Amino acid sequence: MIELTRQYGRYGYRRIAALLRDAGWHVNDKRVERPWRREGLNVPMKHPKKGRLWLNDGSCVRLRPEHRNHVWSCDLVHCRTDDGKAFRTLNIIDEYSRECLAIRVDRKLNPGNVIDALNDLFILHGAPSFIRSDNGPEFVAQAVQDWIKAVGAKTACIEPGSPWENGYCESFNARFRDEFLNVEIFQSLREARILIEEWRKHDNTKRPHSVLGHRPPAPETIVQMDRRPVMH
């Protein structure tokens, strides 16, 4: 448990318990919680959740995903290499499965980069029904809008100043920054690309997601439940 905490310092005891079970230990959350608290491994409390945007007629602005490839979310995150130079990441997730489909890393990202990243994903997964994003120039550029329409998808831009409408991607971005960007030093852009891709694969295949019952969005293997050792 302590070794996992050293490796994933921002995980809580429930997520650590899920990793222990995946490693073969027959242990529930409560059994991990007691030594967790005794060792002082508590993670700081999260900030209160924000409310949704409600219209005058009482309806909520929200397009809810119903299946894979129904709604994808795109957003940009800013960071810096150790020499102080800025770089950006284009994060694209499937809102239904919570899988991070791609993270494009570059010093600058323009509408052409957005089209290239989406085109690669369309080849692998097919076109989604909707692509949700904020109103940044990289996403609302006419070239991007026309290209998305041409491939048979629709855009779902959020209301200006309402990031909670893109809540799935905002939640991913917060986890990306808290668990990874804030604890890594990138010596170069190439190193950032390699480490970020490794983290993306870990998030998809190994990291327990509470909303998915502490299972990863795209696990690589299926653990045989009846072969797990008992924790003494």
Side-chain angles (χ1 to χ4, degrees), residues 133-148:
S133 69
D134 60 22
N135 292 273
E138 300 84 1
F139 303 121
V140 300
Q142 193 62 47
V144 176
Q145 299 291 310
D146 292 344
W147 183 82
I148 291 175

Side-chain angles (χ1 to χ4, degrees), residues 76-77 79 81 86-91 102-109 113 117 176 180-181 186 188-197 200:
L76 295 173
V77 171
C79 195
T81 47
F87 68 86
R88 308 171 85 190
T89 71
L90 169 63
N91 302 341
I103 301 180
R104 180 67 65 91
V105 182
D106 216 327
R107 293 294 183 187
K108 295 181 180 180
L109 291 169
N113 299 129
F176 180 42
F180 181 70
L181 293 181
F186 306 109
S188 65
L189 186 65
R190 182 174 182 273
E191 182 182 49
R193 285 172 174 160
I194 293 172
L195 294 178
I196 287 172
E197 179 61 16
R200 184 188 72 86

Side-chain angles (χ1 to χ4, degrees), residues 18-29:
L19 289 175
L20 285 171
R21 288 192 290 270
D22 285 345
W25 296 99
H26 187 66
V27 59
N28 59 28
D29 292 354

